[in-house]
Amino acid sequence: MTPPDHPIETPPRAPSPVHKFGTLAVHAGAPHDPTTGAVIEAISLSTTFAQNGVGKPVGQYEYSRSANPNRDNFERAVAALEHARYALAFSSGSATTATILQSLAAGSHVVSISDVYGGTHRYFTKVALAHGVHVTFSPSIEVEIEELIRPETKLIWIETPSNPTLSLVDIRAVASIAHKHGILVVVDNTFLSPYVQNPLDHGADIVVHSVTKYINGHSDVVMGCAAFNAPELAERLTFLQNAIGAVPSAFDCWLAHRGLKTLHLRAREATKNATSIAHALEASPHVISVNYPGLKSHAQRAVAIKQHRDGMGGGMLSFRIQGGHEAAERFCQNTKIFTLAESLGGVESLVEVPGAMTHAGIPKEQREAAGVFDDLVRVSCGVEDYEDLTNDVMQALEKAVAGAKISNGNGSI
Ligand SMILES: *Cc1c(COP(=O)(O)O)cnc(C)c1O
Protein backbone atom coordinates (compact mmCIF):
# COMPACT_ATOMS: atom_id res chain seq x y z
CA MET A 1 0.00 0.00 0.00
CA THR A 2 2.84 2.37 0.87
CA PRO A 3 4.78 3.73 -2.10
CA PRO A 4 8.32 2.42 -1.64
CA ASP A 5 9.90 5.83 -2.19
CA HIS A 6 7.77 7.72 0.34
CA PRO A 7 10.27 10.07 1.98
CA ILE A 8 9.09 10.07 5.59
CA GLU A 9 7.36 6.74 6.09
CA THR A 10 9.04 4.84 8.90
CA PRO A 11 9.49 1.21 7.95
CA PRO A 12 7.81 -0.96 10.59
CA ARG A 13 11.14 -2.50 11.48
CA ALA A 14 13.10 0.68 12.22
CA PRO A 15 13.25 1.26 15.98
CA SER A 16 15.13 4.56 15.95
CA PRO A 17 13.34 7.08 13.77
CA VAL A 18 15.42 9.72 12.04
CA HIS A 19 12.61 12.24 12.17
CA LYS A 20 11.32 14.06 15.21
CA PHE A 21 7.96 13.51 16.89
CA GLY A 22 5.84 16.11 15.11
CA THR A 23 7.07 15.03 11.68
CA LEU A 24 6.37 11.39 12.47
CA ALA A 25 2.95 12.19 13.97
CA VAL A 26 1.90 13.89 10.74
CA HIS A 27 3.57 11.54 8.23
CA ALA A 28 4.16 8.06 9.68
CA GLY A 29 1.66 5.61 8.22
CA ALA A 30 0.24 8.38 6.03
CA PRO A 31 1.10 7.55 2.41
CA HIS A 32 -0.48 9.53 -0.42
CA ASP A 33 -3.01 7.49 -2.37
CA PRO A 34 -1.00 6.00 -5.24
CA THR A 35 -3.89 6.30 -7.74
CA THR A 36 -5.61 9.59 -6.85
CA GLY A 37 -2.83 11.38 -5.03
CA ALA A 38 -5.19 12.02 -2.09
CA VAL A 39 -3.13 13.39 0.79
CA ILE A 40 -5.48 11.85 3.35
CA GLU A 41 -6.10 8.12 3.21
CA ALA A 42 -9.55 6.89 2.21
CA ILE A 43 -11.70 5.19 4.82
CA SER A 44 -11.66 1.59 3.70
CA LEU A 45 -14.92 0.11 4.98
CA SER A 46 -14.80 -3.08 2.93
CA THR A 47 -14.77 -6.17 5.14
CA THR A 48 -13.50 -8.44 2.39
CA PHE A 49 -11.05 -8.13 -0.49
CA ALA A 50 -11.28 -9.75 -3.93
CA GLN A 51 -8.94 -12.55 -4.98
CA ASN A 52 -7.67 -13.21 -8.52
CA GLY A 53 -7.46 -16.91 -7.87
CA VAL A 54 -7.97 -19.13 -4.84
CA GLY A 55 -5.57 -17.89 -2.17
CA LYS A 56 -4.37 -15.07 -4.47
CA PRO A 57 -5.75 -11.76 -3.16
CA VAL A 58 -5.52 -8.75 -5.51
CA GLY A 59 -3.58 -6.76 -2.89
CA GLN A 60 -2.24 -7.56 0.56
CA TYR A 61 -5.63 -7.84 2.29
CA GLU A 62 -8.16 -10.67 2.59
CA TYR A 63 -10.55 -10.02 5.46
CA SER A 64 -10.61 -6.89 7.57
CA ARG A 65 -10.55 -8.51 11.05
CA SER A 66 -7.12 -9.90 10.12
CA ALA A 67 -5.86 -6.63 8.61
CA ASN A 68 -7.14 -3.58 6.77
CA PRO A 69 -5.50 -0.44 5.35
CA ASN A 70 -6.71 2.03 8.00
CA ARG A 71 -5.65 -0.15 10.92
CA ASP A 72 -2.28 -0.88 9.33
CA ASN A 73 -1.60 2.82 8.82
CA PHE A 74 -2.65 3.72 12.36
CA GLU A 75 -0.47 0.93 13.76
CA ARG A 76 2.52 2.20 11.77
CA ALA A 77 2.02 5.69 13.19
CA VAL A 78 1.80 4.42 16.78
CA ALA A 79 4.92 2.26 16.32
CA ALA A 80 6.85 5.28 15.06
CA LEU A 81 5.76 7.47 17.99
CA GLU A 82 6.54 4.82 20.61
CA HIS A 83 9.96 3.96 19.08
CA ALA A 84 8.69 0.43 18.47
CA ARG A 85 9.13 -2.04 15.63
CA TYR A 86 5.51 -3.16 15.91
CA ALA A 87 2.16 -1.84 17.08
CA LEU A 88 -1.28 -3.44 17.20
CA ALA A 89 -4.64 -1.73 17.57
CA PHE A 90 -7.56 -3.10 19.60
CA SER A 91 -11.20 -2.17 20.13
CA SER A 92 -10.44 -0.54 23.52
CA GLY A 93 -7.66 -0.08 26.05
CA SER A 94 -9.36 -2.81 28.07
CA ALA A 95 -9.34 -5.22 25.10
CA THR A 96 -5.60 -4.55 24.75
CA THR A 97 -5.05 -5.51 28.40
CA ALA A 98 -7.25 -8.61 28.02
CA THR A 99 -5.39 -9.76 24.90
CA ILE A 100 -1.98 -9.40 26.58
CA LEU A 101 -3.19 -11.27 29.69
CA GLN A 102 -4.62 -14.02 27.47
CA SER A 103 -1.19 -14.55 25.95
CA LEU A 104 -0.12 -16.03 29.30
CA ALA A 105 -0.42 -19.74 30.02
CA ALA A 106 -2.65 -20.96 32.84
CA GLY A 107 -0.69 -20.98 36.09
CA SER A 108 1.21 -17.79 35.22
CA HIS A 109 1.79 -15.11 37.85
CA VAL A 110 1.70 -11.34 37.32
CA VAL A 111 2.96 -8.55 39.59
CA SER A 112 1.10 -5.25 39.21
CA ILE A 113 1.34 -1.84 40.86
CA SER A 114 -1.57 -1.36 43.30
CA ASP A 115 -3.22 1.73 41.89
CA VAL A 116 -3.78 0.56 38.33
CA TYR A 117 -6.68 1.79 36.21
CA GLY A 118 -9.97 0.51 37.69
CA GLY A 119 -10.84 -1.61 34.66
CA THR A 120 -7.39 -3.19 34.67
CA HIS A 121 -7.81 -4.01 38.37
CA ARG A 122 -11.20 -5.54 37.59
CA TYR A 123 -9.74 -7.69 34.79
CA PHE A 124 -6.82 -8.82 36.97
CA THR A 125 -9.00 -9.78 39.94
CA LYS A 126 -12.24 -10.97 38.29
CA VAL A 127 -11.31 -12.32 34.84
CA ALA A 128 -7.65 -13.35 34.77
CA LEU A 129 -8.17 -15.64 37.75
CA ALA A 130 -10.74 -17.64 35.76
CA HIS A 131 -7.96 -18.41 33.25
CA GLY A 132 -5.63 -19.49 36.05
CA VAL A 133 -3.54 -16.28 35.97
CA HIS A 134 -2.82 -14.87 39.44
CA VAL A 135 -1.97 -11.22 40.05
CA THR A 136 -0.17 -9.82 43.11
CA PHE A 137 -0.53 -6.07 43.73
CA SER A 138 2.33 -4.00 45.13
CA PRO A 139 2.08 -0.43 46.45
CA SER A 140 5.83 0.15 46.02
CA ILE A 141 6.97 -2.04 43.17
CA GLU A 142 10.57 -0.74 42.90
CA VAL A 143 11.25 -1.80 46.51
CA GLU A 144 9.30 -5.06 46.60
CA ILE A 145 9.79 -6.48 43.11
CA GLU A 146 12.62 -8.90 43.91
CA GLU A 147 10.72 -10.61 46.74
CA LEU A 148 7.42 -10.75 44.82
CA ILE A 149 8.89 -12.64 41.87
CA ARG A 150 8.05 -16.35 41.80
CA PRO A 151 9.27 -19.04 39.41
CA GLU A 152 5.98 -18.72 37.48
CA THR A 153 6.02 -14.89 37.28
CA LYS A 154 5.75 -13.93 33.61
CA LEU A 155 4.69 -10.29 33.56
CA ILE A 156 5.07 -7.07 35.52
CA TRP A 157 2.38 -4.42 34.99
CA ILE A 158 3.20 -0.77 35.61
CA GLU A 159 1.16 2.36 35.20
CA THR A 160 3.22 5.53 35.47
CA PRO A 161 1.91 8.07 36.36
CA SER A 162 -0.70 6.23 38.38
CA ASN A 163 -4.35 7.16 38.43
CA PRO A 164 -5.48 9.39 40.14
CA THR A 165 -2.56 10.18 42.48
CA LEU A 166 0.05 10.67 39.72
CA SER A 167 2.80 8.75 41.48
CA LEU A 168 5.65 7.56 39.26
CA VAL A 169 7.52 4.30 38.82
CA ASP A 170 11.15 4.14 37.69
CA ILE A 171 10.66 1.86 34.68
CA ARG A 172 14.38 1.14 34.25
CA ALA A 173 14.78 0.09 37.90
CA VAL A 174 11.93 -2.42 37.63
CA ALA A 175 12.85 -3.65 34.13
CA SER A 176 16.46 -4.41 35.02
CA ILE A 177 15.35 -6.73 37.86
CA ALA A 178 12.54 -8.26 35.78
CA HIS A 179 14.85 -9.02 32.87
CA LYS A 180 17.32 -10.87 35.12
CA HIS A 181 14.45 -13.31 35.71
CA GLY A 182 13.25 -13.36 32.08
CA ILE A 183 10.05 -11.49 32.96
CA LEU A 184 8.34 -9.04 30.58
CA VAL A 185 7.47 -5.51 31.68
CA VAL A 186 4.29 -3.82 30.43
CA VAL A 187 3.78 -0.07 30.92
CA ASP A 188 0.38 1.57 30.54
CA ASN A 189 1.39 4.95 29.10
CA THR A 190 -2.14 6.32 28.69
CA PHE A 191 -1.72 9.22 31.14
CA LEU A 192 1.30 10.77 29.43
CA SER A 193 0.95 9.75 25.77
CA PRO A 194 3.96 8.84 23.60
CA TYR A 195 4.82 12.54 23.30
CA VAL A 196 5.79 12.86 26.97
CA GLN A 197 7.10 9.35 27.69
CA ASN A 198 8.38 6.40 25.62
CA PRO A 199 8.53 3.42 28.02
CA LEU A 200 10.35 1.13 25.55
CA ASP A 201 13.33 3.53 25.71
CA HIS A 202 13.48 2.90 29.47
CA GLY A 203 13.49 -0.89 29.27
CA ALA A 204 9.79 -1.80 29.02
CA ASP A 205 8.93 -4.69 26.68
CA ILE A 206 5.36 -3.64 25.85
CA VAL A 207 3.74 -0.21 26.03
CA VAL A 208 -0.06 -0.02 26.06
CA HIS A 209 -2.49 2.87 25.59
CA SER A 210 -6.12 3.55 25.92
CA VAL A 211 -6.23 5.37 22.55
CA THR A 212 -9.58 6.69 23.80
CA LYS A 213 -7.60 9.26 25.79
CA TYR A 214 -4.66 11.34 24.48
CA ILE A 215 -3.83 9.53 21.22
CA ASN A 216 -7.27 10.06 19.72
CA GLY A 217 -7.69 13.13 21.91
CA HIS A 218 -11.14 14.23 20.82
CA SER A 219 -13.38 12.12 23.08
CA ASP A 220 -15.09 10.44 20.15
CA VAL A 221 -13.39 7.04 19.77
CA VAL A 222 -12.96 4.07 22.14
CA MET A 223 -9.82 2.20 21.13
CA GLY A 224 -6.55 0.75 22.44
CA CYS A 225 -3.10 -0.20 21.24
CA ALA A 226 0.09 -2.00 22.22
CA ALA A 227 3.61 -1.42 20.86
CA PHE A 228 6.77 -3.55 21.28
CA ASN A 229 10.01 -4.63 19.62
CA ALA A 230 10.36 -8.40 20.01
CA PRO A 231 9.39 -10.44 16.91
CA GLU A 232 8.10 -13.25 19.18
CA LEU A 233 5.66 -10.80 20.78
CA ALA A 234 4.61 -9.59 17.34
CA GLU A 235 3.87 -13.14 16.27
CA ARG A 236 1.94 -14.09 19.42
CA LEU A 237 -0.05 -10.87 19.83
CA THR A 238 -0.87 -10.55 16.11
CA PHE A 239 -2.20 -14.11 16.26
CA LEU A 240 -4.33 -13.23 19.31
CA GLN A 241 -5.53 -9.93 17.79
CA ASN A 242 -7.01 -11.96 14.95
CA ALA A 243 -8.04 -15.04 16.98
CA ILE A 244 -9.79 -13.12 19.78
CA GLY A 245 -10.99 -10.45 17.35
CA ALA A 246 -11.25 -7.45 19.70
CA VAL A 247 -10.39 -5.15 16.79
CA PRO A 248 -11.34 -1.52 16.11
CA SER A 249 -13.41 -0.49 13.10
CA ALA A 250 -11.70 1.00 10.04
CA PHE A 251 -13.56 4.25 10.68
CA ASP A 252 -12.33 4.45 14.29
CA CYS A 253 -8.76 3.75 13.11
CA TRP A 254 -9.09 6.61 10.63
CA LEU A 255 -10.44 8.98 13.30
CA ALA A 256 -7.78 7.99 15.84
CA HIS A 257 -5.09 8.43 13.20
CA ARG A 258 -6.38 11.92 12.46
CA GLY A 259 -6.29 12.70 16.18
CA LEU A 260 -2.76 11.36 16.56
CA LYS A 261 -1.42 13.83 14.00
CA THR A 262 -1.81 16.70 16.47
CA LEU A 263 -0.76 14.81 19.61
CA HIS A 264 2.44 16.84 20.08
CA LEU A 265 0.52 20.14 19.89
CA ARG A 266 -2.18 18.96 22.28
CA ALA A 267 0.23 17.35 24.77
CA ARG A 268 2.29 20.55 24.96
CA GLU A 269 -0.79 22.73 25.57
CA ALA A 270 -2.20 20.29 28.13
CA THR A 271 1.10 20.32 30.01
CA LYS A 272 1.27 24.12 29.91
CA ASN A 273 -2.29 24.32 31.27
CA ALA A 274 -1.70 21.69 33.98
CA THR A 275 1.52 23.42 35.07
CA SER A 276 -0.22 26.77 35.43
CA ILE A 277 -3.12 25.24 37.38
CA ALA A 278 -0.81 23.12 39.60
CA HIS A 279 1.17 26.20 40.65
CA ALA A 280 -2.00 28.18 41.37
CA LEU A 281 -3.45 25.31 43.41
CA GLU A 282 -0.22 24.85 45.35
CA ALA A 283 -0.30 28.53 46.35
CA SER A 284 -3.96 28.44 47.43
CA PRO A 285 -4.97 28.23 51.12
CA HIS A 286 -8.03 26.20 50.02
CA VAL A 287 -5.88 23.28 48.91
CA ILE A 288 -4.34 20.59 51.15
CA SER A 289 -1.95 19.09 48.59
CA VAL A 290 -1.34 18.85 44.83
CA ASN A 291 -0.25 15.75 42.88
CA TYR A 292 1.51 16.80 39.69
CA PRO A 293 4.75 15.29 38.34
CA GLY A 294 5.74 18.66 36.89
CA LEU A 295 6.04 20.27 40.35
CA LYS A 296 9.32 20.42 42.27
CA SER A 297 7.35 19.23 45.31
CA HIS A 298 6.39 15.93 43.61
CA ALA A 299 7.85 12.99 45.56
CA GLN A 300 9.32 11.40 42.41
CA ARG A 301 10.24 14.56 40.51
CA ALA A 302 13.65 13.01 39.76
CA VAL A 303 11.92 10.14 37.93
CA ALA A 304 9.88 12.64 35.89
CA ILE A 305 13.07 14.44 34.88
CA LYS A 306 14.66 11.15 33.82
CA GLN A 307 11.65 9.59 32.10
CA HIS A 308 9.51 12.40 30.67
CA ARG A 309 10.34 14.59 27.68
CA ASP A 310 11.96 17.75 29.12
CA GLY A 311 10.68 16.73 32.57
CA MET A 312 7.14 17.62 31.44
CA GLY A 313 4.34 16.83 33.88
CA GLY A 314 1.63 15.97 31.33
CA GLY A 315 -1.97 17.17 31.33
CA MET A 316 -3.30 15.29 34.39
CA LEU A 317 -3.22 16.41 38.01
CA SER A 318 -5.15 15.84 41.22
CA PHE A 319 -5.50 17.78 44.46
CA ARG A 320 -7.07 17.54 47.91
CA ILE A 321 -9.47 20.39 48.63
CA GLN A 322 -10.17 21.91 52.08
CA GLY A 323 -13.67 21.10 53.31
CA GLY A 324 -13.95 17.39 52.58
CA HIS A 325 -16.01 15.54 50.02
CA GLU A 326 -18.76 18.20 49.95
CA ALA A 327 -16.21 20.84 48.92
CA ALA A 328 -14.86 18.52 46.21
CA GLU A 329 -18.38 18.09 44.82
CA ARG A 330 -19.10 21.82 45.04
CA PHE A 331 -15.84 22.54 43.21
CA CYS A 332 -16.80 20.29 40.30
CA GLN A 333 -20.26 21.86 40.09
CA ASN A 334 -18.87 25.40 40.06
CA THR A 335 -16.37 25.18 37.22
CA LYS A 336 -17.61 26.88 34.07
CA ILE A 337 -15.11 25.65 31.47
CA PHE A 338 -14.21 22.27 33.00
CA THR A 339 -16.93 19.68 32.49
CA LEU A 340 -17.75 17.26 35.30
CA ALA A 341 -17.14 13.90 33.61
CA GLU A 342 -15.04 10.73 33.68
CA SER A 343 -12.30 10.07 31.10
CA LEU A 344 -9.35 12.26 30.19
CA GLY A 345 -6.96 13.30 27.45
CA GLY A 346 -9.42 15.13 25.20
CA VAL A 347 -9.21 18.69 23.87
CA GLU A 348 -11.81 19.75 26.45
CA SER A 349 -10.92 20.05 30.14
CA LEU A 350 -12.64 17.73 32.62
CA VAL A 351 -12.91 17.41 36.41
CA GLU A 352 -14.12 14.55 38.55
CA VAL A 353 -14.10 13.22 42.12
CA PRO A 354 -12.41 9.79 41.90
CA GLY A 355 -13.61 8.59 45.32
CA ALA A 356 -17.23 8.92 44.20
CA MET A 357 -16.82 8.29 40.46
CA THR A 358 -13.96 6.44 38.73
CA HIS A 359 -12.69 4.77 41.92
CA ALA A 360 -16.01 4.33 43.78
CA GLY A 361 -15.78 0.55 43.36
CA ILE A 362 -12.66 0.29 45.56
CA PRO A 363 -13.35 -0.07 49.32
CA LYS A 364 -12.75 3.23 51.21
CA GLU A 365 -9.89 1.88 53.35
CA GLN A 366 -8.03 0.53 50.32
CA ARG A 367 -8.69 3.74 48.43
CA GLU A 368 -7.35 5.97 51.20
CA ALA A 369 -4.27 3.78 51.61
CA ALA A 370 -3.52 4.63 47.96
CA GLY A 371 -4.09 8.36 48.57
CA VAL A 372 -7.58 8.50 47.04
CA PHE A 373 -9.37 10.48 49.76
CA ASP A 374 -12.97 11.68 49.47
CA ASP A 375 -11.70 15.26 49.05
CA LEU A 376 -9.49 14.41 46.05
CA VAL A 377 -10.35 16.11 42.76
CA ARG A 378 -8.88 14.88 39.46
CA VAL A 379 -8.32 17.33 36.63
CA SER A 380 -7.73 16.55 32.95
CA CYS A 381 -6.45 19.64 31.18
CA GLY A 382 -7.55 20.19 27.62
CA VAL A 383 -6.17 22.71 25.16
CA GLU A 384 -8.19 25.79 26.06
CA ASP A 385 -6.24 28.93 27.11
CA TYR A 386 -4.32 28.58 30.32
CA GLU A 387 -5.46 31.95 31.77
CA ASP A 388 -9.12 30.97 31.34
CA LEU A 389 -8.61 27.51 32.85
CA THR A 390 -6.59 28.79 35.81
CA ASN A 391 -9.15 31.54 36.51
CA ASP A 392 -11.93 28.98 36.29
CA VAL A 393 -10.22 26.73 38.86
CA MET A 394 -9.61 29.69 41.19
CA GLN A 395 -13.19 30.96 41.07
CA ALA A 396 -14.58 27.44 41.63
CA LEU A 397 -12.22 27.01 44.61
CA GLU A 398 -13.46 30.27 46.12
CA LYS A 399 -17.08 29.18 45.72
CA ALA A 400 -16.45 25.64 46.98
CA VAL A 401 -14.35 26.54 50.05
CA ALA A 402 -14.47 30.23 51.00
CA GLY A 403 -18.02 30.82 49.74
CA ALA A 404 -19.28 27.84 51.72
CA LYS A 405 -17.61 29.17 54.91
CA ILE A 406 -19.20 32.60 54.50
CA SER A 407 -22.66 31.21 53.88
CA ASN A 408 -22.28 28.89 56.89
CA GLY A 409 -21.21 31.91 58.96
CA ASN A 410 -24.31 33.80 57.92
CA GLY A 411 -26.35 30.83 58.90
CA SER A 412 -27.96 30.87 55.47
CA ILE A 413 -27.23 27.22 54.64
C1 LIG B 1 -9.19 4.51 30.15
C2 LIG B 1 -8.00 3.74 30.56
C3 LIG B 1 -7.87 2.38 30.26
C4 LIG B 1 -8.95 1.58 29.57
O1 LIG B 1 -9.18 2.03 28.27
P1 LIG B 1 -10.59 1.91 27.52
O2 LIG B 1 -10.27 2.43 26.17
O3 LIG B 1 -11.58 2.75 28.28
O4 LIG B 1 -10.98 0.46 27.53
C5 LIG B 1 -6.69 1.75 30.64
N1 LIG B 1 -5.72 2.40 31.31
C6 LIG B 1 -5.84 3.70 31.63
C7 LIG B 1 -4.74 4.37 32.37
C8 LIG B 1 -6.97 4.42 31.28
O5 LIG B 1 -7.08 5.71 31.62
Side-chain angles (χ1 to χ4, degrees), residues 149-166:
I149 289 173
R150 307 178 193 163
E152 64 275 20
T153 307
K154 298 289 180 231
L155 208 70
I156 290 169
W157 194 280
I158 294 171
E159 217 176 285
T160 178
S162 69
N163 174 19
T165 55
L166 287 300

Side-chain angles (χ1 to χ4, degrees), residues 92-94 117 120 159 163 188 190-191 210 212-213 222-223 344:
S92 66
S94 306
Y117 175 71
T120 305
E159 217 176 285
N163 174 19
D188 183 334
T190 299
F191 261 45
S210 169
T212 316
K213 317 296 167 50
V222 172
M223 223 169 110
L344 60 114

